[in-house]
Amino acid sequence: MISRGLPSRLGCVLLLALGLIAGALLLPRAAVAQGAAPDISTPLAQLTTDKYDDTEAALGALALSGSPAAAGIVAALADGRLMYSPATRQVLIKTPQGGLVDAATGQPVAEAPPGAKAVRVNNRIRRAIEAASGTLALVNPDPAKRLEAASAVMRARDEAALPALDAALAKEADAKVKSALTLARASILIGKAGVPDADRIAAIATVGEQGNQDALAVLRSVPADASPAVKAAAQDAIAGIERSLAIWSVGQNIWYGVSLGSVLLLAAIGLAITFGVMGVINMAHGEMVMLGAYVTFVVQELIRTYNPALFDLSLLIAIPVAFLFTGLIGVLIERTVIRFLYGRALETLLATWGISLILQQAIRTAFGPTNREVGAPGWMSGAFELGQLSITYGRLWIIVFAMFVFVALLATLRLTRIGLEMRAVTQNRRMAASMGIRTNWVDAMTFGLGSGIAGIAGVALSQIDNVSPNLGQSYIIDSFLVVVFGGVGNLWGTLVGAMSLGIANKMLEPYAGAVLGKIALLVIVILFIQKRPRGLFALKGRAIES
Amino acid sequence: MSNALTPQPVLLGKSGLVFLAVVLGAAVLVPALNLLTSPDSALHVPTYVVSLLGKYLTYALLALSVDLIWGYVGILSLGHGAFFALGGYAMGMYLMRQIGPRGVYGDPVLPDFMVFLNWKELPWFWHGFDMFPFAALMVLLAPGILALVFGWFAFRSRVTGVYLSIITQAMTFALLLAFFRNDMGFGGNNGLTDFKDILGFNIQADGTRLVLFVLSALALALGYVLCRFLVRSHFGKVLIAIRDAETRVRFTGYRAENYKVVAFVVSAMLAGIAGALYVPQVGIINPGEFSPANSIEIIVWVAVGGRGTLVGAALGAVLVNYAKTYFTSGLLAPYWLFMLGGLFVAVTLFLPKGIVGTFYDWRRARAPAPEDLAPDDLAPPDKLPEPKPAE
Amino acid sequence: MSATDTLEPDVPVEAIAKKDLTEALLYLDGVTVTFDGFRALNSLSFTVDPGEMRAVIGPNGAGKTTMMDVITGKTRPDKGDVFFAGGTTDLTKLDETQIATLGIGRKFQKPTVFEMHTVIDNLRLALKGQRGALANIFRRETAAEREKIDEIFETIKLSGHRDRLGGALSHGQKQWLEIGMLLAQDPKLLLVDEPVAGMTDAETAQTAELLREINANGHSVVVVEHDMTFVRDLGVRVMCLHEGSVLAEGTLDQVSANERVIEVYLGR
């Protein structure tokens, strides 16, 4: 809050002058009167003269007074709640509740003296108020407030704040705040005229360690007349920061890439089952994702209507519901259409495209063509900083969820009975059938599993994309590319494919822009498939082509 | 596997002659009914219907081009709309240049959208499009060269079946994204429109529309004869052999990739011509023509009519589009997508050979030599694990 | 036929491979192929002379089909040399099409004819001649070609089925059509993979006769076959493969007397 406005240059100078005077006058006295409340009678008296100059001077003195009452007085002035009586020379604070308090004593006052009026404020005074409250925040009892104030001072780099900084530093006990204050002080020293080279270079080192954009701005402000040694030190520090920032920005892009990769993985992994394991080109796969998103919408609507307290759990409830619903639709599609088309991959493409049109239109008829609002539970929103990375909880949870789905699917295929049967049917249908595996049932379950996973992908995607009948369309091409790029029939390939496409996309974006980056990626994948027609993790061997 | 009919001993079989008679008959009859009957007559064909029919004919030519590679070579292109659109854009660029100073902004050279974007001069690739012969050449070359480059890479690396389908889809999707960008210089989102005249004739005039219709019919007829000639030549026999047993073809000493590239390029050029005839009749070309959904819709036309039968492809295009016009304009409009989707499913399940293919089967079944029937079309289900090329 | 020379059944493989490179039609030396750690061919070496017919036997997984894949360019060896026509051509540098045009024809284990083409079109496609895409658009059949096709019809005894679809033929007829297609290609070397699988005894005998006739006309032939009666009918030099290399070579009697061959393949 305090950081918003920078005091004008005039304000700075005045404040500096006042600060020096006040420092000369007040500090020794404050030192003498240690333990006792510092005397603020002089500034209070200045507030009653109804002159802007006096008000401004009073603010400067109050800021450095160290009096516990100062913050209240400045805040009251800012809110227009500070009164004075020309007759009694009293300064009064109107409390927000409407009562009156004597500013000097802190005692409540029953009735305002006659002729009391508000201390006037103009723009100059407002700037002085901001500066004063900034300075006061440096000694706020709350360490978080002090930290905030320190970094505001650092960004503002107001030389006038130096005495206040020194005063605050002397008293500061909290290590974190102390280092922030040191940093702020160093930032100011770097730009200040007449600082000895040694101090300035030490300051540059302190700032250089910070290594972020703010530090970079500070280091770039080394005055043109600084000595070569100072300039060289600043250049080194800038280069160091730029290197580390470049690395952080690559890191940030990788993070975005992993996040996009997880979305692609979620969208594609069900396809890896239906396409990779069964050889069915399910063009309705995207619609399964879309159905999953609509299930989330319906679940949230029901929760809002019947039990709003459960809202934070709505996604967790939607996951099994979406899995079962889309899985069931998948089984239905397999039993009524797909099973007649096994071995004719390209014809499954046509039939499932038809199904996708029907599903889209069905949803459009039921829910309308416009976007539906799916809310985010509390734990999905917000962000935190990790080094120079900004990480949103939404993305983080989607990555975690994608990994969870991947591992769960891998475990299902490896460790369960149905997984074993699926693999058996994939490898040798006739042999599996002759060993008593109900291949029809396995087909239906496999397709259901692929569709169900698409459904739970839809639950996750409802958090980051518009929930509309067209949701699936935007994922289908990408999903196919991921599966084909990774190598059909290989879940690990799908994982690597999704992550590499996601990361490549986000790395290309800063250079080419979103659309050109996407086009470039499509071209790269097209070229890649020509180089390795069977993907990254292609199976090799005689059986492949025979 | 396929459902092509056994080649007939003559260039144009009975069905081919019937087809040509119908198309060329329409080329005479429709303009005649438009010009010679009074508007009140029950037989009168209004001009807007002529243009509508002309649009169907260009779709039929497009379907023919898809059938040439899907039905006869087994290449399922999910991006053929891109070639159609490129041909259309080449024609659209010519038509834009013909507008001249009659645009909203009155710039003698720059099309309106460039003036709007504050461009000062014509991008290099717009030069030459003021000349019809150059534009006509580009109608062939733009799709042809893309097909050549794409096909050369893809077929040489033996990308087949589903993989090929998916990268053709990625190709048209990439072009869709590219043409949506204003910076590309093709009018962005709005595409090219507001055409005034073609070769000096007012594009809105009834006479021009009739001529465009007749040209579309002629193009379809010639396209049919060309495709028919190709698939019945030794070249075409190799194509069919590639479709059914590509490995065997290689071991027989043919460069399968070269055959595929030639067929792909011819097909792309036919699609380009279809696009070029389409644009003046509908009056607009925009990036939507590149959308993957459009390309997949072409596939269903061919599937409905009968893949591997040229007549069927053309018939399917006309039937499905007639149905589309009929149903999307009336009360049933909200249900059209249900119908189209249902059509996809029904055709693959119940009519895998399409209308014409099924008709041929029925006719052959009544022939005296039943053992000559094509074998059952269904591949054994034990081939499941490997996604196969068009079988 | 050059089948029965003086070789002992237990002659080391290396000695066979050292046969003069310039004399052999086909020369394989130390060919190794690995699929995901599995050695399909393990330093396989042998030669085929011009005009020779050779039978190859061996248990499943011995590498017979992989050997054919390597010779026809479908699979690239990890190691080893494959030379054709007296060492003039390195087959490992060529692809399937180039090798086919050089004069190596192959019949697959599963009969693959062009099912949607008539029998005569199958032969026309295989017939030696123009292979270029553009040139074949305007190609017309010559009288010589027609004669050659008639000749092949006589040899494979399918004259009555000219206009039937390839896919409508019986299994045995397809096998013969495929051999006919090989003949039409007029290769120097024919690789024939299990030509009598699924045939009746009479058909098997006819096929042996057919192959002998082809061989007598100057074509070298390598036949892979499990059917011992058929191999005996051929009456040619036999090579037994096991785990990707040659286990024994010689006349059928010599090979079938070999202890190792009995152990791994023939059984006692």
Side-chain angles (χ1 to χ4, degrees), chain A residues 41-59 82-91 117-120 124-125:
Chain A
S41 56
T42 318
L44 284 182
Q46 282 172 315
L47 285 171
T48 59
T49 60
D50 200 21
K51 289 194 183 110
Y52 288 130
D53 284 351
D54 285 345
T55 307
E56 193 169 3
L59 278 169
L82 196 68
M83 318 284 287
Y84 76 99
S85 153
T88 60
R89 298 256 146 191
Q90 236 181 332
V91 179
K117 47 186 174 182
V119 179
R120 289 184 305 155
R124 198 175 102 206
I125 299 300

Side-chain angles (χ1 to χ4, degrees), chain C residues 167-187:
Chain C
L169 296 179
S170 74
H171 181 79
Q173 287 168 330
K174 280 185 192 169
Q175 299 270 34
W176 284 339
L177 174 55
E178 209 180 348
I179 294 171
M181 289 163 74
L182 275 188
L183 282 177
Q185 269 179 266
D186 192 23

Side-chain angles (χ1 to χ4, degrees), chain B residues 158 237 252 254-255 259 372, chain C residues 95-96 117 125 131 136:
Chain B
R158 305 199 185 164
K237 284 174 187 163
T252 314
Y254 292 96
R255 289 234 157 268
Y259 282 77
D372 282 358
Chain C
D95 68 12
E96 300 103 309
H117 278 308
L125 282 168
R131 290 294 192 254
N136 269 335

